Amino acid sequence: MNRLAAEPSRYLQEHADQPVDWWPWGKEALAEARRLDRPLFISIGYSACHWCHVMARESFDDPTVAELLNDHFVPVKVDREERPDVDALYMEAALAATGQGGWPLSVFATPDGRPFFTGTYFPPEDRHGLPAFRRVLDAVADAWATRREAVERDASELAGAIARSLAGPTAERPSAAPSWQELASRASEQLVGRLDRPWGGFGGPPKFPQAPVLELLLVDGALRGSAASIEAAEVTLGAMVAGGLYDHLEGGFARYSTDRTWTVPHFEKMLPDQALLVRCALAAWQVGGDARFRQAVEETVGYLLGRLRLPGGGLAASEDADAGGVEGGHATWTSEELRTVLGPRYDEVAAWYQLDGPPAFEGRHVLRRPLGAPLARPDGVQEGWELLRAARAERPRPGLDPKVVTEWNAMAAVALAEAGGALGRPEWVAAAGEVLEVLWRSARRPGAGWARTVQDGQARHPATAADVAWVAAASIALAEARGEDEDWRRAIDAARVLLAEFQLPDGLLATSSRDAQTPVVRPVELAGSAAPSANAVAARTLTRLAALTEDSTFGRARDAILGALRPLAARQPVALADAVVAGLVAEAGTVEVVVTGSRPDLVSCVQEGFWPTTLLVHGERGPWPLWSGRPDDGSAYVCRGGVCLAPVGERGELAQRLGELTRTSAEAARPTIRAAAQP
């Protein structure tokens, strides 16, 4: 047993019994490398990673490999979900050096952490163009011993490239960058042009859900009235919920699809994907009313609260791709298994879920629906579906990583609060409150800032900017859902911590906190990928808090972030889709809706629609300017840009006004508002 036995991370504990003398990431490991004058071997992965498990079995369990690692290196294991800043640093090194990245990520670095050679998965023997891991170890050890000067030079050059790439933009900002609306139009047009018809997505396999891109299309469609943007999002989401990427028995989405048709997933399920795709599917249902998307929301929330909910509170980070030692073993079926389980229901269920053709994955079937077909099950299929669920419940379950990641739990709280309000599910809103309460109770450390994770009841690792930004966003979502003033106060508290601990002189937010001990450079996340970047989330949150409080600090901080991101977005609007959404919403102007008195019908009117620029305040009064001078008369007060319409008392009129304001830019809307405003 090695040092990882004392670590709470499930991923690290999976390696605790290996013969490798692993160290967890930290100053102690770097100090040991300096003491021994040996290079670091840094292996980065996560618990749900299939190829991480493969390399562990093939190489790290092998005593011969372990001896090489122990004799010539200081081997370090990193859970990328605990330390996304460290992962970002070394992933950038891999991309700079080889043009390829992924997990497991294998990095060789100098004792002070500067990388000089990188790779991902290495097999136990030469195959498929990859060198055997033992051969790699021998070559790196020999280079360190006999060509040290060249290794140090390579490390310095690569460290310089990483620092330039991750430290944020340095180019002079143009005085007249395109408007965010223009950038949104460009990005949407590019995406519509790239759309894979009829299968959705915006490139070839493997296909990732790309929630920030879907949100851009939906927000742009709502604000500009672009039918093409909305159609591109609906086509992609429709293909995703039809395919095997979507779990038709338990709900929820797999990490990505290995094929063009979204049929064969990489079976791991990650909490952030569930949270972000619930929000996208909810928005698509709000925009177009397609019942498939509502059902996907309901079933995925069921998966979140049924499978990922932890006994001690909070939501688990992920569920493995493997079950019983077989990739997808819990979710795929042979023809014989299907006939045995379904009996006389086989023909109907097999036709419904396209199980009567050739198997899609290693001789096994994956459930999927035809493109555009409904998800709602007729009675006969429902009976077969229940039989399959019961049979699946008897199978070995994929491993669950019980790590509570602050960012991802807050992200899920946003999804639960928004979906609960929109679909009239108060129990989901209550669940969002419970998740957020766990974070405020366990991840907020008085005098020590926020923590990235909570494991075994212990706050672990310094928070990233994304952790704190999402806590602020979740507190706002919960305030809008349940109308409690404490949620607004918490959002403001988190936003102030975010700016104090992470904001750099140029206005952008660093990924890591000042005490996070990230070597080479303090990284700055400029573009989102699977999830929005911390800077984009922060910009949207600051926009909303500026509207609530009229505190210029929040507006200035938002403007600094967006000002730094806009020239980058002008060059690559799709790559910075999350920033484009944040800029577009800020530029359009916040529509403030204050519902006074007890008017749940008016509150639900706001919650049920997709109004990307709207801020909803209701319920418990607080000391915010939006409440000032407004009696408890049971009306909705709708304002924009400091100008308010006459109070509204009817749902239909409120929905009409919100629709009009949402479909126009701020500049086009203001004359209408002024014309309708009270004298």
Side-chain angles (χ1 to χ4, degrees):
M1 189 165 287
N2 55 51
R3 295 171 190 83
L4 302 185
E7 293 294 310
S9 161
R10 180 173 181 260
Y11 175 65
L12 299 187
Q13 287 181 356
E14 289 168 353
H15 299 266
D17 291 327
Q18 291 170 340
V20 179
D21 189 18
W22 291 114
W23 291 73
W25 176 266
K27 59 184 179 181
E28 294 83 2
L30 274 67
E32 179 71 0
R34 289 192 295 269
R35 185 183 73 82
L36 297 175
D37 193 32
R38 291 181 185 173
L40 297 158
F41 169 68
I42 304 166
S43 177
I44 303 176
Y46 57 102
S47 181
C49 169
H50 171 71
W51 286 102
C52 298
H53 298 321
V54 172
M55 190 167 177
R57 291 193 300 268
E58 292 177 342
S59 294
F60 302 141
D61 287 344
D62 184 336
T64 304
V65 171
E67 185 177 7
L68 284 171
L69 282 168
N70 297 339
D71 288 349
H72 299 286
F73 305 92
V74 172
V76 177
K77 262 289 173 191
V78 180
D79 183 337
R80 69 175 294 262
E81 296 169 356
E82 289 185 324
R83 293 304 302 265
D85 52 340
V86 174
D87 177 59
L89 172 76
Y90 291 121
M91 185 60 71
E92 186 65 27
L95 294 171
T98 69
Q100 295 181 329
W103 299 279
L105 182 59
S106 302
V107 180
F108 296 89
T110 60
D112 60 0
R114 290 173 295 136
F116 60 85
F117 182 77
T118 68
T120 52
Y121 163 78
F122 289 109
E125 62 277 325
D126 294 353
R127 65 175 180 232
H128 304 307
L130 295 172
F133 188 48
R134 279 176 288 186
R135 195 152 67 84
V136 171
L137 294 177
D138 285 334
V140 173
D142 179 71
W144 184 259
T146 63
R147 300 187 299 280
R148 178 73 168 269
E149 185 175 340
V151 169
E152 292 279 1
R153 184 172 60 251
D154 290 346
S156 295
E157 290 176 358
L158 189 52
I162 296 168
R164 289 188 295 274
S165 178
L166 294 182
T170 57
E172 183 178 348
R173 300 175 191 175
S175 57
S179 70
W180 289 106
Q181 181 169 317
E182 182 179 344
L183 293 178
S185 299
R186 284 188 202 171
S188 295
E189 288 168 6
Q190 290 177 24
L191 288 165
V192 170
R194 296 178 197 171
L195 179 65
D196 177 7
R197 296 180 181 271
W199 295 108
F202 307 97
K207 285 186 172 180
F208 288 81
Q210 294 182 287
V213 164
L214 294 173
E215 185 178 27
L216 168 63
L217 290 167
L218 290 164
V219 171
D220 178 60
L223 295 185
R224 290 198 303 124
S226 170
S229 295
I230 292 171
E231 182 192 21
E234 289 179 338
V235 165
T236 299
L237 278 165
M240 285 164 50
V241 301
L245 183 87
Y246 182 69
D247 188 336
H248 290 272
L249 291 182
E250 292 192 350
F253 294 86
R255 184 71 190 88
Y256 63 89
S257 172
T258 62
D259 63 297
R260 179 189 175 194
T261 65
W262 305 95
T263 297
V264 179
H266 196 17
F267 291 91
E268 69 202 59
K269 288 182 179 177
M270 310 293 294
L271 175 58
D273 294 322
Q274 315 314 314
L276 293 170
L277 292 174
V278 161
R279 298 185 72 207
C280 290
L282 177 67
W285 173 76
Q286 289 170 315
V287 168
D290 192 319
R292 293 175 299 165
F293 301 136
R294 175 168 183 154
Q295 183 171 337
V297 169
E298 291 171 338
E299 292 178 346
T300 301
V301 170
Y303 169 75
L304 273 178
L305 299 181
R307 175 61 176 158
L308 299 186
R309 204 173 199 171
L310 297 170
L315 299 167
S318 62
E319 192 174 41
D320 284 359
D322 299 3
V326 178
E327 184 180 7
H330 58 297
T332 58
W333 307 81
T334 65
S335 296
E336 293 74 19
E337 288 170 339
L338 289 167
R339 291 184 181 278
T340 299
V341 170
L342 293 171
R345 290 291 177 196
Y346 172 80
D347 288 339
E348 185 177 9
V349 174
W352 182 266
Y353 285 119
Q354 298 189 305
L355 303 171
D356 45 4
F361 177 68
E362 297 182 356
R364 301 177 69 84
H365 293 277
V366 179
L367 275 67
R368 66 159 296 126
R369 292 286 289 133
L371 284 178
L375 297 185
R377 296 173 288 272
D379 291 344
V381 173
Q382 178 67 22
E383 292 177 14
W385 178 84
E386 290 170 359
L387 291 171
L388 289 173
R389 274 178 59 94
R392 180 164 161 177
E394 298 299 317
R395 292 176 164 185
R397 293 291 312 191
L400 197 70
D401 185 346
K403 177 169 63 259
V404 174
V405 179
T406 299
E407 174 191 1
W408 299 351
N409 272 255
M411 198 183 287
V414 172
L416 289 167
E418 291 178 348
L423 301 184
R425 301 292 293 268
E427 69 275 20
W428 295 356
V429 176
E434 292 167 6
V435 168
L436 207 51
E437 191 61 36
V438 167
L439 300 182
W440 280 97
R441 183 178 66 245
S442 301
R444 181 77 162 99
R445 304 175 295 179
W450 282 86
R452 169 69 179 172
T453 66
V454 178
Q455 301 176 72
D456 296 334
Q458 301 283 323
R460 299 273 300 180
H461 307 286
T464 66
D467 293 309
V468 185
W470 275 105
V471 166
S475 299
I476 292 174
L478 200 55
E480 292 185 301
R482 66 185 185 182
E484 294 184 12
D485 189 59
E486 178 63 19
D487 295 322
W488 291 117
R489 295 177 185 274
R490 284 180 163 182
I492 291 167
D493 177 88
R496 287 175 174 158
V497 169
L498 181 69
L499 298 178
E501 295 296 323
F502 296 92
Q503 194 169 36
L504 299 169
D506 67 356
L508 289 170
L509 304 177
T511 299
S512 56
S513 62
R514 294 182 177 88
D515 60 348
Q517 298 174 347
T518 306
V520 182
V521 67
R522 193 179 175 197
V524 177
E525 184 185 21
L526 299 173
S529 52
S533 71
N535 278 287
V537 175
R540 290 188 70 176
T541 299
L542 293 167
T543 293
R544 296 162 74 72
L545 291 179
L548 173 78
T549 65
E550 297 182 8
D551 185 338
S552 61
T553 301
F554 295 134
R556 287 196 303 269
R558 182 269 320 278
D559 291 343
I561 292 171
L562 293 177
L565 292 176
R566 183 148 63 172
L568 302 175
R571 294 195 291 271
Q572 295 182 300
V574 171
L576 276 82
D578 53 344
V580 172
V581 171
L584 180 62
V585 169
E587 187 175 77
T590 302
V591 177
E592 302 147 1
V593 181
V594 181
V595 178
T596 65
S598 179
R599 289 296 304 271
D601 57 328
L602 296 181
V603 170
S604 65
C605 174
V606 182
Q607 293 172 333
E608 289 167 7
F610 184 57
W611 324 112
T613 58
T614 295
L615 179 74
L616 172 63
V617 178
H618 67 103
E620 186 179 3
R621 284 180 175 262
W624 319 119
L626 290 183
W627 281 114
S628 180
R630 301 215 162 109
D632 287 332
D633 59 356
S635 298
Y637 293 80
V638 183
C639 305
R640 188 180 195 169
V643 180
C644 298
L645 299 167
V648 180
E650 300 296 331
R651 274 182 60 100
E653 186 180 0
L654 177 57
Q656 181 180 355
R657 290 187 181 180
L658 291 174
E660 290 170 354
L661 295 180
T662 297
R663 285 191 297 270
T664 60
S665 69
E667 295 307 313
R670 281 175 184 155
T672 304
I673 294 173
R674 292 193 186 100
Q678 290 181 313

